[in-house]
Amino acid sequence: MNKIIQKRVNGLKGEITIPSDKSISHRSIMFSSLAKGRSVIHNFSNGADCRSTKKLFEQLGIEITQTGEKSYEVFSNGHFNTPISDLDCGNSGTTMRLCLGILASQNFDSVLFGDESLSKRPMKRVITPLELMGAKIESNEYKAPLHIYGRELHGIEYNSPIASAQVKSCILLAGLNATGKTTVIEPYTSRNHTELMLKYMGANITWDNNSVSIEKSSLEPKVINIAGDISSAAYFIVGALIVPNSEIIIKNVGLNPTRTGILDVVQRMGGNLEILSQEEISGELVGDIKISYSELKGCTISGEDIPRLIDELPVIALLATQAEGQTIVSNAEDLRKKESDRITTIVNGLKSLGAEIEEKEDGFIINGKTELLGDKTLEVFHDHRLAMTYYTAGLICKKDIMINGFEWINISFPEFEELFNNL
Ligand code: S3P
């Protein structure tokens, strides 16, 4: 689907409520499926990725009943139905990598597959530690489809070479059903939704700095209220900062410190951002944010910042084109392994609009502030975050832009355009 975006003549004004966090939604279905009994989930994501997870667990015999617009009841008798056919993860890396950890220790075999984009993404990062735990997995040169020969696993201490919540969660979920203790040590702390939710559901899990340990545990069914997604809020945060005369309030945003890197960057850049309120819901911090148009300055983003804002980097690149001076993003080489090679795709996309942005092996350098001229068609390469970043860019481009593949927003955020239209 092609979408034409016009420059905003008025500022963004008003209040919006951000829909459900994708990472937490995935985990709510997965962990409720592992808990014997009836769990309740409120504010589950409408995105296609989370629907892939829901469908996969239904295929495994879990009863999932919709009880409200975004509410579900999950009933599990504590084990999965077998035999099962192939399990489709769609476009979702989180579904594939976390389910691999769950399925590797079951007493049956299974196959995980995905769409064209997911079938190109690296799985060695999760297969290697699972093999160290005793798993048997056949793959297409460490890519999907993944044939899992379920068997009993044993705990390991694993020093992960990358800070990745998907890798950490995969190992922890295998550890949840393995003999002995499983420990994952990361170079920097990645998002900790798995740890928080497993703890909330009664697992024997502890953490300290960048190290997390788990022992075989059974989970208790719970009521899980899912926070709004800060990665979705990011487009509105950036929109309000770069469209003159904007001032908006974003409600119900997840403020888990392992995800709030973008808020730190906005502060470093001198943006007007205020956290209005904060509370804890189902083990996660949630709050409201006020944000307005700002004169920004460039900053550096590297090291431990990266896992705390990895999914926001495309839209942060756009933000940096509107900041005076240089913004340097480094140590972000994992961006090349996302739904598209997000270093190359975002650099080429923003450059075509008139930005001064230079590609580096592990990130990019942006010199601002530049006027974005537009008058271009941009490809999204099956990548939802590019589609939403380009839409946000279109709000300040001098001339209209066209986005080719705009429908990819449905992967994480079907309500995206409607919410922008409300401002
Ligand atoms: C996710 C972790 C991140 C992120 C992805 C969701 C998760 O991936 O990019 O969108 O839910 O665990 P990595 O762990 O590969 O960095």
Side-chain angles (χ1 to χ4, degrees):
M1 180 181 119
N2 288 338
K3 180 109 213 148
I4 295 173
I5 319 296
Q6 290 176 328
K7 184 173 178 162
R8 275 291 289 228
V9 277
N10 305 317
L12 302 168
K13 299 262 182 207
E15 206 174 276
I16 51 164
T17 300
I18 285 294
S20 177
D21 188 279
K22 180 160 85 74
S23 291
I24 304 177
S25 287
H26 282 299
R27 287 160 172 83
S28 70
I29 290 278
M30 294 177 188
F31 304 174
S32 296
S33 299
L34 293 171
K36 191 170 176 180
R38 198 169 294 279
S39 306
V40 174
I41 301 172
H42 293 302
N43 196 31
F44 184 72
S45 165
N46 261 338
D49 268 7
C50 294
R51 276 191 276 113
S52 293
T53 293
K54 176 174 160 284
K55 201 171 144 213
L56 189 151
F57 282 90
E58 283 170 334
Q59 256 182 286
L60 286 168
I62 305 299
E63 273 175 45
I64 305 175
T65 318
Q66 188 158 11
T67 53
E69 200 198 334
K70 292 186 175 182
S71 296
Y72 293 86
E73 257 183 28
V74 178
F75 179 74
S76 166
N77 55 20
H79 57 81
F80 299 127
N81 272 1
T82 51
I84 42 143
S85 49
D86 291 359
L87 298 164
D88 186 358
C89 302
N91 186 251
S92 173
T94 308
T95 309
M96 183 165 281
R97 295 195 178 115
L98 272 60
C99 287
L100 185 64
I102 292 173
L103 292 169
S105 71
Q106 303 298 323
N107 56 4
F108 57 86
D109 299 348
S110 50
V111 177
L112 292 170
F113 71 99
D115 71 3
E116 197 189 317
S117 148
L118 183 54
S119 305
K120 290 188 191 137
R121 294 180 64 188
M123 294 296 147
K124 188 166 184 182
R125 54 183 61 198
V126 276
I127 293 175
T128 298
L130 289 178
E131 283 177 345
L132 292 172
M133 296 177 82
K136 184 166 180 228
I137 298 153
E138 270 171 14
S139 62
N140 177 18
E141 294 180 359
Y142 292 108
K143 305 232 161 71
L146 308 175
H147 195 131
I148 305 154
Y149 298 90
R151 57 194 53 208
E152 187 169 279
L153 304 183
H154 56 83
I156 50 165
E157 183 175 304
Y158 188 66
N159 271 293
S160 178
I162 43 173
S164 156
Q166 293 183 356
V167 171
K168 173 176 65 178
S169 302
C170 169
I171 301 167
L172 292 175
L173 288 167
L176 185 67
N177 195 31
T179 56
K181 183 167 154 185
T182 299
T183 300
V184 186
I185 302 152
E186 296 190 282
Y188 302 114
T189 307
S190 63
R191 66 188 67 187
N192 66 355
H193 304 302
T194 295
E195 295 92 302
L196 294 181
M197 199 181 290
L198 287 178
K199 178 115 200 142
Y200 179 64
M201 297 177 76
N204 188 354
I205 183 166
T206 52
W207 57 87
D208 185 24
N209 290 320
N210 302 336
S211 166
V212 191
S213 297
I214 194 162
E215 283 181 67
K216 194 175 183 116
S217 334
S218 46
L219 301 181
E220 295 156 23
K222 287 275 183 188
V223 176
I224 303 168
N225 285 293
I226 301 172
D229 199 328
I230 192 165
S231 301
S232 301
Y235 306 98
F236 296 87
I237 292 173
V238 169
L241 287 166
I242 63 177
V243 176
N245 300 315
S246 295
E247 181 172 299
I248 62 171
I249 291 179
I250 313 178
K251 301 190 83 160
N252 190 40
V253 184
L255 294 175
N256 177 322
T258 63
R259 294 284 297 283
T260 48
I262 184 168
L263 304 187
D264 297 349
V265 163
V266 169
Q267 256 144 14
R268 260 179 242 165
M269 286 184 158
N272 303 317
L273 180 146
E274 204 184 326
I275 296 179
L276 301 176
S277 62
Q278 282 194 64
E279 62 178 318
E280 199 180 298
I281 298 180
S282 304
E284 292 276 355
L285 262 189
V286 185
D288 298 343
I289 299 174
K290 184 169 159 191
I291 185 116
S292 54
Y293 176 76
S294 308
E295 300 292 335
L296 302 167
K297 56 180 190 303
C299 71
T300 38
I301 302 171
S302 64
E304 63 187 338
D305 296 327
I306 301 297
R308 297 179 58 237
L309 45 63
I310 185 79
D311 291 340
E312 289 66 79
L313 282 169
V315 80
I316 287 174
L318 166 66
L319 182 66
T321 68
Q322 301 309 301
E324 286 297 338
Q326 201 165 62
T327 296
I328 302 174
V329 174
S330 53
N331 312 127
E333 55 279 342
D334 219 45
L335 269 189
R336 296 195 183 276
K337 309 276 168 53
K338 297 294 177 186
E339 286 84 333
S340 70
D341 173 344
R342 285 186 181 152
I343 295 183
T344 299
T345 51
I346 197 67
V347 166
N348 291 343
L350 291 177
K351 207 181 259 177
S352 78
L353 296 178
E356 268 187 50
I357 177 165
E358 187 192 336
E359 178 168 349
K360 294 281 170 193
E361 198 40 48
D362 66 342
F364 33 79
I365 298 179
I366 297 155
N367 283 300
K369 171 179 183 177
T370 40
E371 183 180 29
L372 300 185
L373 302 172
D375 201 17
K376 285 279 178 314
T377 298
L378 296 162
E379 299 294 329
V380 311
F381 304 103
H382 301 189
D383 188 337
H384 56 133
R385 302 216 183 273
L386 288 185
M388 294 187 279
T389 298
Y390 293 150
Y391 182 101
T392 315
L395 302 177
I396 56 161
C397 283
K398 198 171 168 189
K399 290 191 175 157
D400 294 359
I401 62 165
M402 178 134 91
I403 304 174
N404 197 359
F406 185 69
E407 70 281 5
W408 282 91
I409 62 160
N410 292 319
I411 286 291
S412 61
F413 195 1
E415 308 87 342
F416 173 78
E417 195 182 11
E418 187 191 324
L419 284 183
F420 257 115
N421 288 339
N422 288 344
L423 291 172

